[in-house]
């Protein structure tokens, strides 16, 4: 939220299949068959998201052997931050990555292949492990420019999964959002390559990302994104609304 005190989620693109799964009595976990006391369950479509969660243990909970000190410290720091949660433990202006030469980048751009490194980067971004990626790029900034066999790389995956903090981190390293993959698609321009973007009303990773940025009043981030891809200012979600409505 605006004051960093609660997390607010908006469900977009509600799945009819998931609603039907929840309504099916055979999917209820009840104490006895036909009983009224049934433990709540999430539909299978949410399992991938829930695997990334981190439960918050109470400070006085002595019945667990798992320590949450770092998570709790960050949580309470965010509560006291009137501008909402921090993007990272290291501010953009404070990041100091070793310089990657253009020759190094150009050499890597010609090597599109699936490797252990590309797989590891995909997993880090998929799990939204911002600090882990930050540590990795501090030691090996060239990894930010790695391309897998289909021509995609960290910037593509960050946009695909809506990892806004990672997008900003990759920009700090110098990763471009104008390169294209094997199908001629740039990280942010997949939608804009298909005609008039304002004519298509649909809930996508891009609309969710823009809604979050506007909801959290991240003006500078919105300026950066629309400066590189102006057409994103005109996207429309499934209900026909877009950045101007949310603003």
């Amino acid at each position: 939220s605006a004051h960093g005190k609660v997390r607010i989620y908006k469900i977009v693109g509600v799945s009819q299949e998931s609603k039907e799964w929840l309504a099916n009595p055979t999917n209820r976990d009840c104490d006895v068959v036909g009983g009224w006391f049934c433990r709540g369950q999430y539909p299978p479509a949410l399992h991938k998201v829930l695997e990334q969660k981190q439960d918050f243990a109470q400070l006085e909970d002595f019945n667990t052997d798992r320590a949450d000190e770092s998570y709790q410290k960050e949580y309470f720091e965010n509560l006291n931050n009137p501008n909402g949660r921090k993007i990272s433990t290291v501010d953009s202006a404070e990041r100091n990555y070793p310089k990657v030469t253009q020759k190094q980048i150009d050499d890597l751009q010609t090597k599109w292949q699936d490797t252990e490194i590309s797989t590891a980067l995909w997993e880090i971004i998929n799990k939204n492990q911002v600090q882990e990626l930050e540590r990795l790029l501090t030691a090996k900034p060239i990894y930010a420019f790695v391309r897998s066999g289909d021509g995609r790389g960290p910037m593509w995956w960050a946009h695909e999964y809506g990892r806004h903090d990672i997008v900003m981190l990759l920009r700090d390293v110098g990763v471009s959002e104008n390169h294209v993959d094997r199908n001629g698609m740039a990280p942010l321009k997949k939608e804009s390559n298909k005609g008039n973007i304002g004519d298509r009303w649909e809930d996508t990773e891009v609309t969710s990302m823009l809604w979050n940025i506007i909801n959290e009043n991240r003006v500078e981030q919105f300026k950066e994104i629309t400066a590189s891809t102006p057409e994103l200012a005109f996207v429309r979600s499934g209900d026909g609304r877009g950045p101007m409505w949310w603003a």
Side-chain angles (χ1 to χ4, degrees), residues 79-93:
L79 286 182
N80 296 323
N81 177 10
N83 295 320
R85 70 179 178 86
K86 295 181 292 185
I87 287 180
S88 172
T89 54
V90 180
D91 290 336
S92 175

Side-chain angles (χ1 to χ4, degrees), residues 133 154-160 162-173 175 177 188 209 221 224-225:
L133 183 62
M155 188 62 86
W156 280 261
W157 305 324
H159 279 295
E160 179 180 358
R163 309 307 190 202
H164 320 310
D165 297 350
I166 292 179
V167 168
M168 300 303 291
L169 191 156
L170 293 171
R171 287 176 178 170
D172 288 341
V173 181
V175 180
E177 289 165 279
L188 264 179
M209 176 188 70
Q221 186 176 358
E224 289 183 18
I225 290 176

Side-chain angles (χ1 to χ4, degrees), residues 43 51 55 114 127 131 134 152 184:
E51 287 174 357
D55 295 330
D114 297 318
K127 295 177 181 178
Q131 295 181 17
E134 195 167 49
R152 291 156 54 86

Side-chain angles (χ1 to χ4, degrees), residues 104-145:
Q104 288 177 303
I105 297 173
D106 293 341
D107 289 344
L108 199 56
Q109 298 304 307
T110 62
K111 301 173 182 176
W112 294 6
Q113 52 188 337
D114 297 318
T115 64
E116 292 182 359
I117 293 175
S118 64
T119 299
L121 288 167
W122 179 87
E123 290 179 350
I124 288 173
I125 295 170
N126 180 48
K127 295 177 181 178
N128 201 28
Q129 297 173 331
V130 182
Q131 295 181 17
E132 178 65 24
L133 183 62
E134 195 167 49
R135 284 192 291 268
L136 179 62
L137 296 183
T138 298
K140 295 281 188 179
I142 190 64
Y143 285 173
F145 302 89

Side-chain angles (χ1 to χ4, degrees), residues 4-40:
K5 293 182 181 292
V6 296
R7 297 186 179 96
I8 301 174
Y9 297 88
K10 178 181 180 181
I11 305 299
V12 296
V14 177
S15 168
Q16 184 61 36
E17 182 180 355
S18 291
K19 293 179 69 174
E20 293 174 355
W21 187 92
L22 290 169
N24 188 340
T26 61
N27 293 322
R28 294 174 182 167
D29 184 13
C30 303
D31 54 346
V32 295
V33 177
W36 63 270
F37 183 78
C38 304
R39 183 172 62 87

Side-chain angles (χ1 to χ4, degrees), residues 188-189 191-193 197-198 225-226 228-235:
L188 264 179
K189 296 186 177 180
E191 296 297 329
S192 63
N193 286 341
I197 196 169
I225 290 176
T226 52
S228 61
T229 313
E231 56 266 37
L232 290 182
F234 302 93
V235 299

Side-chain angles (χ1 to χ4, degrees), residues 147-240:
R147 307 283 285 275
S148 61
D150 59 4
R152 291 156 54 86
M155 188 62 86
W156 280 261
W157 305 324
H159 279 295
E160 179 180 358
Y161 294 113
R163 309 307 190 202
H164 320 310
D165 297 350
I166 292 179
V167 168
M168 300 303 291
L169 191 156
L170 293 171
R171 287 176 178 170
D172 288 341
V173 181
V175 180
S176 171
E177 289 165 279
N178 295 321
H179 291 147
V180 296
D181 61 16
R182 178 180 292 171
N183 296 317
M185 300 296 184
L188 264 179
K189 296 186 177 180
K190 184 174 182 180
E191 296 297 329
S192 63
N193 286 341
K194 300 178 182 177
N196 189 342
I197 196 169
D199 291 339
R200 294 187 309 281
W201 295 9
E202 54 186 332
D203 296 317
T204 65
E205 290 88 354
V206 173
T207 56
S208 296
M209 176 188 70
L210 291 170
W211 183 88
N212 283 320
I213 290 173
I214 294 171
N215 181 54
E216 296 175 6
N217 200 30
R218 290 183 269 168
V219 180
E220 293 304 317
Q221 186 176 358
F222 185 81
K223 286 181 179 179
E224 289 183 18
I225 290 176
T226 52
S228 61
T229 313
E231 56 266 37
L232 290 182
F234 302 93
V235 299
R236 308 283 284 275
S237 61
D239 59 4

